[in-house]
Amino acid sequence: MSRLRPVTAEAPVESRAAAVEQLLDDKGMEATAFVDDFAAHADAHWVSRNGAGVVARAWVDPAYRARLLANGRDAVMELGLTMPPHHRQLVVLENTPSLHNVIVCTLCSCTAFTIIGLAPDWYKDLEYRARVVRQSRTVLREMGLDLPPGIDIKVWDTTADTRYMVLPVRPEGTEGLSEAELAALVTQDALIGVARL
Amino acid sequence: MDGMHDMGGREGFGPVRYTPGAPSFHAAWEKRVNALYSMAVRKGIFNMDEYRHAIERMRPYHYMSASYFERTLTSLATLLVEKGVLSQAELEAAAGGAFPLAGPAAPGRVNAPDRQPLAPGDRVRVRDEHVSCHVRMPGYIRGKTGVVVSISPLTPFPDAHAHGLHAEDEPTYDVAFDALELWPGAADPALVHVAVFESYLEKLG
């Protein structure tokens, strides 16, 4: 058993993360500067109010809604939003009174993060990834969305470079609201499909 | 690769730890690690398929017990070592302790020689294949039958792209599966849509 390595305590995860950043800096890659800029950009730009604005526009503008459903990537770019190169397509999933769409990535954590915001913790957890494809109605009920039997469910597993966003049903009683007021009603959870509005 | 990461349909897990409007990050190092791997991708040190596969190659007990961003960190460090940017000894010295990395990769593969273009409405079967390389076919659709709903743009073939092999870009197809055919008698009724690469599919008559 000459290949056994000496037992060394594992460094804490914070120390391991700091070690990578420090070593890349030492090699002249200016990692710390990149990280600071990246974090500020993510906080400012990769937020669910982007998707909320897309939904509100689709609710008030039928022509925009049609373009959004036909080619989501081009339609969100009309509003000044961006998607990374490997998000080659945005498919917008329209909920109706009798259909509910919900998004998952069973293999990892893929999301249209520049549109619907960075994925929340539970979306990346093993429980959600394992269960929502097989026990969709049960998991949604446990998460507070108790769908009546008349609403069918479609689950979308993000396994390639296509990204998804749910277009929620516009709530009743919102006829007089402005586009900005409508956008304020749209949550990230509704864009993923674990809530209805 | 039939690894731990292939979570869809696994049983025994408890409730989702859901809170409305939950955060993406819980600690400052998580956001920094997320940025570091993005930097490495932008600098061309590795691509997204290599990144995903290095997470999948984590030792099973490590994969299951690590937090999401610890998996990101492990993939990043593994690829930096494999690409010759850093050494594991440097990492362990700087971290002040052991720095576990992912296991080695099996060889990749190129496109299926007999793949064929498909169209919406086609009935398809997912090939009953077991490959030890990176693959974007969740195990729960292996050998199963579904219907093509739509076609997505050409995409690098992940089974090659994660392993430094050249292959042709492929369309992916959105295929709808009936949950009760995926897990007969043991699933909530639903349609499960999966984006499936052309090489993984065969057309049914």
Side-chain angles (χ1 to χ4, degrees):
Chain A
M1 297 296 284
S2 59
R3 295 181 65 236
L4 279 180
R5 298 176 59 196
V7 175
T8 309
E10 188 172 294
V13 68
E14 297 86 347
S15 305
R16 282 181 272 149
V20 174
E21 185 173 331
Q22 181 62 54
L23 289 170
L24 292 176
D25 273 341
D26 291 348
K27 291 179 190 294
M29 294 177 71
E30 299 181 350
T32 293
F34 181 92
V35 167
D36 291 341
D37 286 351
F38 184 96
H41 185 85
D43 289 343
H45 295 289
W46 297 341
V47 291
S48 61
R49 69 171 178 272
N50 295 338
V54 172
V55 167
R57 176 66 59 87
W59 282 345
V60 301
D61 181 346
Y64 182 77
R65 178 195 195 91
R67 292 199 297 282
L68 180 69
L69 293 172
N71 185 331
R73 203 170 195 278
D74 286 354
V76 299
M77 285 182 173
E78 278 183 44
L79 304 186
L81 301 175
T82 60
M83 295 184 73
H86 75 277
H87 292 185
R88 286 160 215 276
Q89 187 179 30
L90 179 69
V91 171
V92 177
L93 311 166
E94 185 176 28
N95 281 352
T96 72
S98 61
L99 175 66
H100 184 79
N101 294 285
V102 57
I103 301 165
V104 62
C105 175
T106 63
L107 296 172
C108 190
S109 63
C110 301
T111 39
F113 61 85
T114 61
I115 308 301
I116 71 170
L118 290 164
D121 51 17
W122 54 263
Y123 183 89
K124 300 173 284 191
D125 279 350
L126 305 180
E127 287 79 6
Y128 184 74
R129 290 168 49 198
R131 294 183 60 211
V132 79
V133 278
R134 183 163 171 178
Q135 294 183 285
S136 49
R137 194 172 295 267
T138 305
V139 169
L140 291 174
R141 186 186 311 122
E142 289 173 4
M143 296 174 76
L145 178 60
D146 195 0
L147 293 172
I151 300 187
D152 293 332
I153 298 175
K154 288 187 180 179
V155 185
W156 300 77
D157 194 354
T158 313
T159 53
D161 283 358
T162 298
R163 294 294 177 271
Y164 305 95
M165 182 192 94
V166 175
L167 176 56
V169 176
R170 180 171 172 169
E172 289 180 15
T174 59
E175 290 74 14
L177 297 187
S178 70
E179 195 173 326
E181 288 168 330
L182 289 168
L185 301 175
V186 181
T187 62
Q188 184 182 45
D189 295 349
L191 297 169
I192 296 171
V194 297
R196 281 170 85 91
L197 301 174
Chain B
M1 177 183 179
D2 288 331
M4 291 296 113
H5 68 280
D6 189 2
M7 300 297 307
R10 302 280 179 147
E11 296 192 287
F13 288 95
V16 178
R17 58 152 179 174
Y18 174 70
T19 51
S24 306
F25 300 101
H26 289 277
W29 70 267
E30 297 179 337
K31 193 179 282 186
R32 301 192 78 77
V33 162
N34 190 60
L36 286 171
Y37 106 77
S38 297
M39 183 184 84
V41 170
R42 286 191 201 184
K43 285 180 181 291
I45 297 171
F46 52 80
N47 65 44
M48 287 298 299
D49 286 304
E50 293 175 301
Y51 165 72
R52 292 190 184 106
H53 190 45
I55 292 176
E56 296 164 3
R57 292 190 273 125
M58 287 172 67
R59 299 303 185 189
Y61 50 82
H62 191 197
Y63 184 95
M64 295 302 283
S65 59
S67 69
Y68 176 77
F69 288 106
E70 183 178 350
R71 295 199 293 270
T72 297
L73 170 66
T74 307
S75 170
L76 168 68
T78 299
L79 289 164
L80 289 171
V81 169
E82 290 178 353
K83 302 288 185 181
V85 177
L86 304 176
S87 73
Q88 188 168 16
E90 279 179 302
L91 285 167
E92 296 194 330
F99 197 135
L101 300 179
R109 65 168 183 171
V110 297
N111 320 85
D114 57 343
R115 68 190 167 99
Q116 61 181 125
L118 300 165
D122 284 349
R123 289 183 65 244
V124 289
R125 178 181 293 127
V126 181
R127 295 174 194 240
D128 188 11
E129 294 176 323
H130 292 258
V131 290
S132 299
C133 62
H134 182 56
V135 62
R136 295 294 285 177
M137 184 199 78
Y140 68 81
I141 62 169
R142 179 185 287 131
K144 302 291 185 177
T145 299
V147 177
V148 172
V149 174
S150 64
I151 306 172
S152 292
L154 292 174
T155 301
F157 187 51
D159 307 38
H161 201 230
H163 297 266
L165 295 178
H166 178 72
E168 290 176 31
D169 291 355
E170 291 193 358
T172 64
Y173 299 95
D174 167 9
V175 181
F177 300 89
D178 182 337
L180 287 169
E181 292 181 17
L182 298 174
W183 298 282
D188 289 348
L191 284 178
V192 178
H193 288 246
V194 183
V196 189
F197 282 83
E198 191 168 84
S199 279
Y200 304 163
L201 292 169
E202 55 194 7
K203 186 175 174 178
L204 297 175

